Amino acid sequence: MSARVLRDRQQAASDAVRRMASPGEGGSEAALVQTKSAGAYPTVASAFFACSPVRIQGAEVEGAGVAFVPDASRTIFAYNLGTKAPPLGTRVIAHACGGRWTFRYDG
């Protein structure tokens, strides 16, 4: 077997081990989202809510105003871990957790 093949196999094994590392080491992925209706909007807290990712636009200088621009063409479903159902159109920070998106809204 050539040295190149062995190096490629070692690199692949190292990459696999790195992917298995605890997700808490680097933190979880987070996104600003805005709740929306995708049929019947939930009325209870412990439910999945349809959400659109939100872009923040504006000058990056201290004290400058911003514009929140939801991407209505995309929908993600995020589970509310909080105690109250957010009103339609509420912006929340959603976190990736075990392959699902979650957020907490307590009113």
Side-chain angles (χ1 to χ4, degrees), residues 13-96:
S14 295
D15 291 344
V17 168
R18 201 172 9 263
R19 283 191 303 269
M20 290 181 353
S22 168
E25 289 180 16
S28 67
E29 184 177 351
L32 177 62
V33 298
Q34 182 173 317
T35 61
K36 67 180 186 178
S37 180
Y41 193 77
T43 57
V44 296
S46 296
F48 279 97
F49 288 79
C51 302
S52 290
V54 175
R55 285 191 328 251
I56 301 172
Q57 295 181 331
E60 290 187 26
V61 295
E62 189 172 8
V66 299
F68 298 102
V69 183
D71 182 356
S73 68
R74 294 179 52 210
T75 301
I76 63 169
F77 290 91
Y79 185 76
N80 181 14
L81 299 167
T83 59
K84 295 189 178 173
L88 183 65
T90 301
R91 287 186 299 266
V92 295
I93 303 291
H95 294 272

